Amino acid sequence: MADNLYINEIKPERALLVGVDTGDFDAQSSMDELWELAKSAGAEPIATKIQKRDSVKTGTCVGTGMVEEIAQFAQNNDIDVIIFDRELTPIQIRNLEDATGVRIIDRTMLILDIFALRAKTKEGKLQVEIAQLRYMMPRLTGRGTALSRLGGGIGTRGPGESKLETDRRHIRRRIENLKEALQDVEKNRAEINRRRQKNGTITCALVGYTNAGKSTLMNFLTDAGVLAEDKLFATLDPTARALKLPCGKNIMLIDTVGLVRRLPHHLVEAFKSTLEQAATADIILNVCDASSPEAQVHLDVTAEILHDLGSEDRPIIPVLNKWDKVDTEEKLDNAPRMHGAVRISALKGEGIDELLQAVEDALPEKNIEVEILLPFAKSGLAAEIRRDGTVISEEYVAEGLLMKASLDPKLYGKCKEFLTNPPEEPEEDEE
């Protein structure tokens, strides 16, 4: 008798998305984003409902009629979770759960859940847990048994059930311990950054709205092997890889966490050190999905966050990615028009030469083209020129190795004494 095989398939949670339009922001665009966020968290969005109101209702966020409507919809459509496009208070969550009989989570909890799902490095996990505990602290009161539910699901991943059921004193102690551990990790990264600065390493950061194609661009330029999926927050932890520009200059390319509108302040605070790593780069590439009708908004959101981090004095190059998808008159009309913008397709490798040239033009130090005659004993310096510079020509002559090359100022200083045509020193004035 053949054995019966049982396969347990985990079905995605069916989600109803609810928003309140008070005129503070574009509610429909925000709901479209919430739909993608829900999918990224593993849910199956079924429908959206938006209520226009002058202000959010204190007890239930939406009006009484809407509460009854979503409760009925949830019952008729086997809804597992209702996701609100706002940050809810503990009282609002409790009241809504009592009225609908369905688990309620808000936008902040959803984003925190995605971050918990995607964090891979020690630093990322520490930052996520700190953000989740800070979010949960004021919500320990008023949720009743909601925090004790087992079985997982969106909004329950992260620090674990035992931590969510502890009292505030224990959570404060846990946060302090996590902060100390995070400080140790940040010290190590700060030391790495100091070594980079000491060695004259120039950094270029990829920043921008989530799902703009930053990881795809990173992979194309450096073969970094970074996860690149059509999901929001597909990559969370920053990745750094070396990139050699056509001029021969080696720079450090850094891929960073994607941004969204109304990013929860819990995450802004927790990931401040990670965001600052991008903001303090020598060159910043502000990448956006040019085919999105929200492309200009995405660029503005990123620019605003970079401004808040104090990076306005850095060269910021707008990168209009996915330009191959700008294939209609409507998309062309909606595409951003910004001074110095570069149009590319990271997936197809289009426009990359123009992008690299823009990066070269923004370098804080310009390369110098020289002709030098290196003695045979200086073979090590010749190898360094081949590695870190751009060799235009080289030939062996009786006196040594004659090279024409493009060098950065640091390498130029090492080769200055071997110039075939050294610059004339200015004559001193006679007294």
Side-chain angles (χ1 to χ4, degrees):
M1 183 176 178
D3 293 334
N4 291 325
L5 297 179
Y6 295 93
I7 300 175
N8 292 325
E9 293 185 2
I10 301 175
K11 294 183 179 179
E13 295 177 276
R14 293 168 61 84
L16 170 64
L17 313 185
V18 180
V20 181
D21 184 2
T22 59
D24 299 338
F25 49 84
D26 188 334
Q28 186 57 57
S29 296
S30 187
M31 288 296 286
D32 292 341
E33 180 178 278
L34 189 70
W35 185 284
E36 294 301 322
L37 287 168
K39 286 169 59 180
S40 294
E44 180 186 358
I46 302 301
T48 63
K49 291 185 178 294
I50 301 177
Q51 183 180 42
K52 275 185 170 291
R53 291 181 60 89
D54 293 333
S55 61
V56 173
K57 189 170 181 179
T58 304
T60 54
C61 187
V62 293
T64 304
M66 177 60 78
V67 172
E68 294 175 355
E69 183 179 334
I70 62 178
Q72 189 65 43
F73 184 92
Q75 182 180 353
N76 295 339
N77 293 274
D78 297 323
I79 297 298
D80 301 303
V81 61
I82 299 174
I83 306 174
F84 275 72
D85 193 31
R86 285 181 177 267
E87 185 168 311
L88 301 175
T89 66
I91 298 300
Q92 287 173 336
I93 293 174
R94 185 190 64 189
N95 291 340
L96 287 165
E97 287 186 340
D98 290 343
T100 63
V102 179
R103 187 159 51 88
I104 304 292
I105 68 173
D106 61 15
R107 179 186 178 89
T108 299
M109 193 184 302
L110 178 64
I111 294 177
L112 286 170
D113 184 84
I114 297 172
F115 272 58
L117 190 64
R118 303 285 161 78
K120 302 300 180 187
T121 64
K122 181 179 179 181
E123 181 183 22
K125 291 177 180 178
L126 289 170
Q127 289 171 324
V128 168
E129 187 170 349
I130 289 174
Q132 287 185 308
L133 290 174
R134 281 178 171 164
Y135 174 80
M136 285 296 179
M137 177 105 76
R139 289 164 173 79
L140 290 176
T141 303
R143 287 292 300 272
T145 60
L147 294 178
S148 301
R149 291 198 179 109
L150 301 177
I154 297 172
T156 65
R157 288 181 280 246
E161 295 299 323
S162 61
K163 296 185 183 66
L164 300 184
E165 294 171 349
T166 57
D167 59 15
R168 289 178 176 173
R169 185 183 306 167
H170 181 78
I171 289 182
R172 288 193 188 98
R173 188 161 56 244
R174 176 64 179 163
I175 289 176
E176 290 306 313
N177 291 338
L178 290 169
K179 284 168 126 181
E180 290 178 6
L182 185 59
Q183 285 174 357
D184 291 338
V185 176
E186 290 174 351
K187 284 179 183 177
N188 292 334
R189 192 181 64 222
E191 181 59 33
I192 293 173
N193 289 338
R194 277 194 294 271
R195 285 201 296 268
R196 285 177 184 169
Q197 292 175 358
K198 184 178 179 181
N199 296 333
T201 303
I202 294 175
T203 55
C204 178
L206 295 168
V207 301
Y209 214 76
T210 185
N211 208 29
K214 300 187 301 299
S215 297
T216 302
L217 179 58
M218 180 83 167
N219 289 335
F220 185 90
L221 293 174
T222 68
D223 295 323
V226 178
L227 175 66
E229 294 184 18
D230 188 19
K231 291 181 178 179
L232 302 189
F233 303 120
T235 47
L236 173 59
D237 303 304
T239 304
R241 292 291 186 273
L243 170 65
K244 186 166 185 176
L245 297 174
C247 68
K249 182 75 175 178
N250 283 308
I251 66 173
M252 189 65 66
L253 191 64
I254 303 172
D255 185 20
T256 63
V257 62
L259 305 172
V260 293
R261 281 168 296 186
R262 296 155 55 216
L263 190 66
H265 68 273
H266 307 277
L267 282 176
V268 172
E269 181 63 27
F271 283 84
K272 191 173 182 181
S273 58
T274 304
L275 294 172
E276 283 177 346
Q277 186 176 0
T280 56
D282 298 290
I283 303 169
I284 298 173
L285 302 183
N286 185 356
V287 185
C288 81
D289 176 0
S291 66
S292 168
E294 296 289 301
Q296 187 63 59
V297 176
H298 297 174
L299 285 170
D300 293 342
V301 168
T302 307
E304 181 181 345
I305 292 175
L306 290 172
H307 176 78
D308 292 342
L309 291 170
S311 63
E312 60 271 12
D313 60 334
R314 315 269 171 175
I316 300 178
I317 303 172
V319 180
L320 309 183
N321 191 26
K322 305 184 185 182
W323 192 257
D324 55 308
K325 293 185 177 181
V326 182
D327 50 7
T328 64
E329 286 293 331
E330 182 181 359
K331 288 184 178 179
L332 187 60
D333 291 341
N334 290 332
R337 285 168 172 76
M338 303 181 69
H339 176 70
V342 183
R343 301 170 179 177
I344 71 165
S345 170
L347 187 63
K348 296 184 177 181
E350 299 172 356
I352 300 300
D353 291 341
E354 290 80 1
L355 174 61
L356 294 177
Q357 185 59 55
V359 173
E360 285 187 8
D361 293 342
L363 289 173
E365 297 176 335
K366 303 297 183 183
N367 279 17
I368 305 166
E369 193 169 309
V370 298
E371 182 181 84
I372 54 175
L373 180 59
L374 295 177
F376 291 111
K378 293 292 182 178
S379 58
L381 184 55
E384 189 175 350
I385 293 172
R386 296 188 187 102
R387 185 184 71 242
D388 297 332
T390 298
V391 176
I392 300 170
S393 67
E394 60 178 300
E395 65 173 313
Y396 286 99
V397 296
E399 297 84 0
L401 178 60
L402 183 64
M403 301 182 76
K404 286 185 178 180
S406 178
L407 312 176
D408 63 31
K410 184 178 179 180
L411 196 51
Y412 172 79
K414 294 182 180 180
C415 301
K416 198 171 181 181
E417 61 180 294
F418 305 110
L419 293 174
T420 58
N421 294 303
E424 294 183 4
E425 298 291 338
E427 296 182 3
E428 295 184 4
D429 295 333
E430 295 183 2
E431 293 186 0

